[in-house]
Amino acid sequence: MKKYITSILFIWLTLINAPCMHSANDSIRISLLTCEAGGEIYSLFGHTALRVTCPERRVDYVFNYGVFSFESRNFMLRFALGRTDYMLGIMKYNDFAESYTEYGRDVFEQELNLTGEEKWKLFERLMRNAQKENRVYRYNFFFDNCSTRPRDQIEHILKGRLHYAENMNEYVLREGNHPETFRDMIHLYAQESPWYNLGMDLCLGSPADRPMTRREKMFTPFYLRDCLAEATFTDSHNDRKPVVKADGWVVRTKLQDYRSKLPSPTLACWMLCLLTLVLSICEWRKKRLYWGADIVLFGAAGLGGCILFILNFFSEHPCVSGNYNLLALHPLHLLALPYIIHTARKHTRNYYLIANGVVLTLFILFLRVIPQVFNPVILPLSLTLLIRCAIHSVIAQRQLHRPS
């Protein structure tokens, strides 16, 4: 973190009177850096930063809107509630490139085709953003992140003179002419990390399945890179010029294989469903319940439901509300555990499991018409819980009709 903060004053003092900033040869260069995806969940979508270079003054710095620290107070809780603060940090380009080389993540550079005055204004704007009172902002994964912030700075400098190749307010269409959604982007970038994909899929609610405009899609660094590559702007003579003056790879590495080595979550959940079915058949034959399995299954479903409940009702994230996964995974499973164990030991009817079984049955039957796209694991997970509800009712019914 110190690499970012302590550089600000030095850069300002170095460049504020630098001849290159006002000279006719226009030595200053500002470019957009797009970094390849990594293996951690926060790096699956790549990264964007702005690079400011002035060779005459040996200045080469990166302005990075993606600075955060896991050591921040209550970071994970604040992230879940959508109250995570990110900041604009500055670091030397060599340090930036070295870190991405170390992690095997390539970096692509697009030099912006701006005048010396426009680049100077953009630099001043970045420096103002980097001041202590301005550098922190409320992070939003889809609408205000490390990709949208650099875009906004570039658009501000060009003041309505920037023209993208396509209408940014139109929906992005995929195969079959279906509009792309935010969830589609999650699936695309997390396809090599199915367990991360599962976690994000479960946490996202129905708003994540609404059509996404081209401008909204710019939350992904690679799409922003592609849009700028085809964009133009109107200069002072009312001529159209490309926004990108030159481009190329500045960091090339042997790309790491970040594909998950774990078994597919869908396969794992179907295996769990099968094991639960086998266990329940054994219980039916022996006419007794192994309530330890209920502690594990309903306990895990209840804990997961607590997370979804908090996200759905208390988080500021715009796409985690209206989450129909709560019909299968909810906190009541956890609250009802003592009652489930009690009735299992006494072999009495459990009205909570009866009601829950009805809800799960309806949820499974209407899964395809509910206005939300579900991860494939939700079916085996729901069936697993439904099997437990059914076996409790069957054995309790047997005990009630057993001759005295």
Side-chain angles (χ1 to χ4, degrees), residues 29-40:
R29 296 172 60 247
I30 298 184
S31 54
L32 188 82
L33 301 177
T34 304
C35 311
E36 291 292 326
E40 302 297 333

Side-chain angles (χ1 to χ4, degrees), residues 230-359:
E230 299 180 358
T232 60
F233 72 100
T234 306
D235 65 10
S236 57
H237 301 291
N238 208 32
D239 294 327
R240 287 284 190 100
K241 291 185 176 180
V243 172
V244 176
K245 181 179 181 180
D247 59 31
W249 296 97
V250 289
V251 174
R252 291 296 267 174
T253 67
K254 183 179 180 181
L255 293 176
Q256 302 294 316
D257 184 4
Y258 292 115
R259 286 177 295 182
S260 175
K261 305 300 189 297
L262 297 173
S264 161
T266 304
L267 175 61
C269 288
W270 277 113
M271 290 298 297
L272 175 64
C273 183
L274 179 61
L275 289 173
T276 302
L277 178 61
V278 171
L279 175 65
S280 300
I281 292 174
C282 292
E283 291 173 312
W284 177 74
R285 288 180 174 178
K286 295 184 178 181
K287 301 178 183 179
R288 56 174 298 189
L289 290 165
Y290 301 122
W291 47 266
D294 297 311
I295 294 177
V296 174
L297 294 174
F298 285 104
L303 287 173
C306 288
I307 297 174
L308 300 188
F309 183 86
I310 292 172
L311 288 173
N312 190 82
F313 294 103
F314 300 102
S315 177
E316 295 178 11
H317 284 300
C319 291
V320 295
S321 60
N323 192 342
Y324 290 94
N325 285 307
L326 278 166
L327 292 172
L329 308 174
H330 50 76
L332 290 179
H333 293 319
L334 201 59
L335 297 175
L337 259 183
Y339 178 47
I340 294 173
I341 296 171
H342 173 75
T343 55
R345 297 181 65 181
K346 298 294 184 179
H347 298 290
T348 56
R349 185 177 285 121
N350 187 305
Y351 293 99
Y352 168 77
L353 291 180
I354 293 173
N356 190 57
V358 173
V359 172

Side-chain angles (χ1 to χ4, degrees), residues 120-137:
W120 172 247
K121 288 181 178 179
L122 179 53
F123 166 72
E124 284 188 314
R125 185 172 177 82
L126 291 172
M127 286 304 301
R128 284 195 299 272
N129 274 214
Q131 297 304 310
K132 185 176 181 180
E133 63 273 18
N134 301 325
R135 64 175 176 243
V136 177
Y137 70 99

